Amino acid sequence: MATTKGNLTINSENIFPIIKKWLYSDHDIFIRELISNGVDAITKLKRLSSMGDAEIPSGEEFKVTVMASPLERTLTFIDNGIGMTMEEVDKYINQIAFSGATDFLEKYKDKDENDQIIGHFGLGFYSAFMVSDKVTIESLSYQKDAEPVYWECDGGTTFEMREGNMQERGTRITLYLSEDSLEFANEFRVKEIINKYCSFMPVEIYFINEDEAKKAQKEVVQKKKSDEDELVGDTSDKADEVIDAEDDKDAPKPLNDTHPLWMKTPGECKDEDYIDFYQKVFLDFKEPLFWIHLNMDYPFNLKGILYFPRINPNMEQVEGKVKLYNNQVFVADNIREVIPEFLLLLKGVIDCPDLPLNVSRSALQNDGFVKKISDHITKKVADKLSGMYKTKREDYEKFWDDISPFIKYGCLRDDKFNERMNDYMIFKNLEDKYITLSEYLEAAKEKHENKVFYVTDAELQAQYIDMFKKAETDALILTHNIDTPYIQNLEMKNEGVKFLRIDSDVISSLKGEALSEEDEKKLTEELTETFKKALGVEKINVKVESLSDESISSMLTQSEDNRRMADMMKLYAMGGMPGLDYGKDAETLVLNSNNKLVKFVLDNPDGDKTGTVCQQLYDLAVLANRPLTAEELTKFVARSNEILGIFVD
């Protein structure tokens, strides 16, 4: 076979610098591409064999081997797949691969980071030049009487191709690494990348440190020869068993799992299988709450497992990871164009071979097929949750505190998911029981129709909770950060329903015998003046109520709208915009006309102790609503000691 030299059929002489620059952010992706090529070559051979068009020796084990040599600065990929003839190398490497590279780069070289293709599939062989000064190919086709072929290229536009000396069917690609890419000859680095991209490829992948292998080869040969000499003359099977045992002991282990859990049917998997897989893949040694096994073949091929981890109530700290695969080949984490955004709070894997990967992310956003995949995943999650609510209510309630932030976030982000989950949203009440919104509204219809009272901090609002319990009035516990926007969403979706924090007003069930309008006005005016003087303020909102519980002296209330506005202003202030002390001005000090301390103030507006009592009543009301400032707390403690001193004197 004569040596052939020629020019690659490409239009740009600087294609390789462009490749390196454009793909710099994914510098390690070439390993996935070259291993994928080897897997494809093996898959093609198996297909030909099943059709009777290729002969494979009985019991042959298929594999892709990656060898690194730090001394030689090389990285080699070997497969025992279909192999190539010289004509095929010329066609698929000299023509198609590099012309395809030109087309690819012409299409994507001007795209920014946000518009790149999500998987880089199709880069294939030429991605080797991202890290190499020279690349060689040795190949022997499966075809009968095929001659081996050798090809090399130094990263320019010329190549050399001649007869090779490869003895076994398959392909061997060697990368002579450039100076700035020597990390890819490091064993730990290469294994790390294989674990990242190829952990579940369908063909076994092995790694060999070529330098160490050569060094150890002599020792192995000498040891085996020594063992054989000791067993000479032994005609039993023992000699063969000892030698075979030595071979087995030193046999390398594959780096990947060729039959990942998501490729099996749910009926084949046990709970411990799902848990082991979760802990291995996501390095989370807490057990997941539960999981959804996706397995469908029509109208598109989609498999995967979504896990519900234990979620921190603080939404800012929630971070999931959903890995996207294509035919068991890793593509990327958390692809928002394919996986619904709110599901990215979960952990899991999704494998969709039908997904179009050689397109930009902006194209994916407008792809109808991708939208169907996303909608199906959302539906399966809603089906799982609603099914658990119906058939495993006890488990559903047990998991609710962990999963409710995720579900509420999903309802806010996806209207269809919100509709599907509408009847299965539950809330803990003051009796620590879980009820739906409709159940709450039905029970409260006689007392406060279409009003939903809720608690955001059980400790700070303990006084109000106690009052509600005594009045046999219920409230919902809504303590997550996500609850604030979620209740606004509920108000929009349920016409006429209004959510009110438990300290927003004094409800009728807490009141005793009503004061006359004239008495209420008179008492309010008197107490307003007394408290303004005692607290040294020009303005204070005071309201007198006749509460049935005489032990309650004072409390602070703030209308729901004003409080929400105050919270919004605080956010503006945190964001660097000027905030307003909106909430304090909108607070109302409610004084119980049936309480003896309040009666004392009314009877002694100018008394020596009245100022102290007023200050204490106000601070007690504040403490039941929010923490005192450092200065306020110091004065409160000193005043409390002064009051207690009366009993000692």
Side-chain angles (χ1 to χ4, degrees), residues 451-456 461 468 478 483-488 491 497-506 556-568 582-583 586-588 625:
K451 291 182 179 179
V452 181
F453 290 95
Y454 65 97
V455 174
T456 58
Q461 294 151 20
F468 266 59
L478 297 173
D483 286 325
T484 299
Y486 181 66
I487 62 176
Q488 294 174 354
E491 288 174 335
V497 172
K498 180 67 176 176
F499 278 75
L500 302 166
R501 203 166 78 172
I502 200 170
D503 57 353
S504 64
D505 199 357
V506 178
L556 278 184
T557 63
Q558 184 179 7
S559 74
E560 185 73 14
D561 291 340
N562 283 338
R563 188 184 55 75
R564 292 188 192 183
M565 178 63 74
D567 290 343
M568 185 176 70
Y582 193 90
E587 292 174 343
T588 297
N625 188 272

Side-chain angles (χ1 to χ4, degrees), residues 457-479:
D457 190 314
E459 292 184 3
L460 278 178
Q461 294 151 20
Q463 177 187 354
Y464 301 92
I465 292 173
D466 186 58
M467 289 190 296
F468 266 59
K469 286 183 176 180
K470 288 180 179 178
E472 297 183 346
T473 301
D474 206 358
L476 303 179
I477 309 297
L478 297 173
T479 57

Side-chain angles (χ1 to χ4, degrees), residues 371-540:
K371 183 68 168 61
K372 289 180 181 178
I373 294 175
S374 179
D375 289 345
H376 176 76
I377 295 171
T378 299
K379 181 180 182 301
K380 294 298 290 185
V381 171
D383 289 346
K384 173 71 174 184
L385 294 168
S386 61
M388 184 179 293
Y389 175 91
K390 295 172 184 176
T391 61
K392 297 181 179 179
R393 178 69 181 263
E394 186 176 338
D395 286 343
Y396 191 77
E397 293 182 357
K398 182 173 66 175
F399 298 146
W400 183 252
D401 285 348
D402 288 290
I403 67 175
S404 62
F406 148 74
I407 298 177
K408 290 169 184 174
Y409 183 63
C411 291
L412 290 173
R413 301 297 298 180
D414 191 300
D415 284 339
K416 286 187 178 179
F417 183 75
N418 184 53
E419 291 173 11
R420 291 187 175 112
M421 289 303 301
N422 184 59
D423 296 332
Y424 312 110
M425 303 298 293
I426 58 176
F427 307 87
K428 185 181 289 186
N429 68 1
L430 297 184
E431 302 299 325
D432 281 341
K433 295 180 180 178
Y434 286 100
I435 58 176
T436 64
L437 179 59
S438 59
E439 289 170 342
Y440 177 91
L441 291 171
E442 179 63 27
K445 187 164 56 176
E446 299 299 325
K447 291 185 176 181
H448 47 87
E449 186 173 10
N450 284 340
K451 291 182 179 179
V452 181
F453 290 95
Y454 65 97
V455 174
T456 58
D457 190 314
E459 292 184 3
L460 278 178
Q461 294 151 20
Q463 177 187 354
Y464 301 92
I465 292 173
D466 186 58
M467 289 190 296
F468 266 59
K469 286 183 176 180
K470 288 180 179 178
E472 297 183 346
T473 301
D474 206 358
L476 303 179
I477 309 297
L478 297 173
T479 57
H480 292 292
N481 289 354
I482 194 69
D483 286 325
T484 299
Y486 181 66
I487 62 176
Q488 294 174 354
N489 179 66
L490 286 176
E491 288 174 335
M492 288 190 296
K493 301 292 185 183
N494 297 272
E495 188 176 354
V497 172
K498 180 67 176 176
F499 278 75
L500 302 166
R501 203 166 78 172
I502 200 170
D503 57 353
S504 64
D505 199 357
V506 178
I507 60 174
S508 58
S509 57
L510 300 179
K511 298 178 182 179
E513 185 176 345
L515 294 169
S516 67
E517 186 175 336
E518 183 179 345
D519 286 344
E520 182 179 323
K521 182 180 179 181
K522 178 177 178 294
L523 294 177
T524 298
E525 289 176 352
E526 291 179 8
L527 289 173
T528 298
E529 291 305 315
T530 303
F531 271 82
K532 283 168 64 176
K533 180 180 178 182
L535 300 178
V537 296
E538 294 182 3
K539 181 182 178 183
I540 184 171

Side-chain angles (χ1 to χ4, degrees), residues 90-104:
D90 184 54
K91 177 180 179 181
Y92 297 118
I93 301 299
N94 298 338
Q95 298 175 43
I96 293 179
F98 281 95
S99 62
T102 306
D103 293 341
F104 179 86

Side-chain angles (χ1 to χ4, degrees), residues 12 46 76 81 86 91 150 161 224 334 350 361 395 441 456 459 462 548 590 613 641:
S12 172
K46 288 181 177 180
T76 304
M86 181 171 285
K91 177 180 179 181
Y150 173 87
M161 184 168 60
K224 186 173 290 189
N334 296 351
I350 290 178
R361 290 191 166 191
D395 286 343
L441 291 171
T456 58
E459 292 184 3
S548 57
V590 177
V613 173
N641 285 325

Side-chain angles (χ1 to χ4, degrees), residues 159 210 231 249 293 418 443 517 540:
F159 67 88
E210 199 169 358
L231 294 168
K249 184 179 70 174
H293 195 143
N418 184 53
E517 186 175 336
I540 184 171

Side-chain angles (χ1 to χ4, degrees), residues 26 67 205 217 270 325 383 406 410 438 454 475 602 604 625:
D26 293 317
M67 299 197 308
I205 303 167
Q217 189 173 15
K270 300 177 181 178
Y325 288 79
D383 289 346
F406 148 74
S438 59
Y454 65 97
L602 284 168
N604 301 276
N625 188 272

Side-chain angles (χ1 to χ4, degrees), residues 129-176:
F129 289 95
M130 293 168 59
V131 296
S132 307
D133 291 330
K134 183 175 78 170
V135 177
T136 66
I137 300 174
E138 300 171 77
S139 191
L140 177 62
S141 173
Y142 77 98
Q143 297 177 29
K144 189 176 181 180
D145 300 326
E147 295 182 343
V149 59
Y150 173 87
W151 178 98
E152 75 171 50
C153 177
D154 62 2
T157 58
T158 60
F159 67 88
E160 179 179 316
M161 184 168 60
R162 63 175 183 268
E163 182 178 348
N165 51 22
M166 193 157 176
Q167 301 296 312
E168 297 180 347
R169 181 201 69 244
T171 299
R172 178 188 185 109
I173 299 175
T174 301
L175 281 58
Y176 294 82

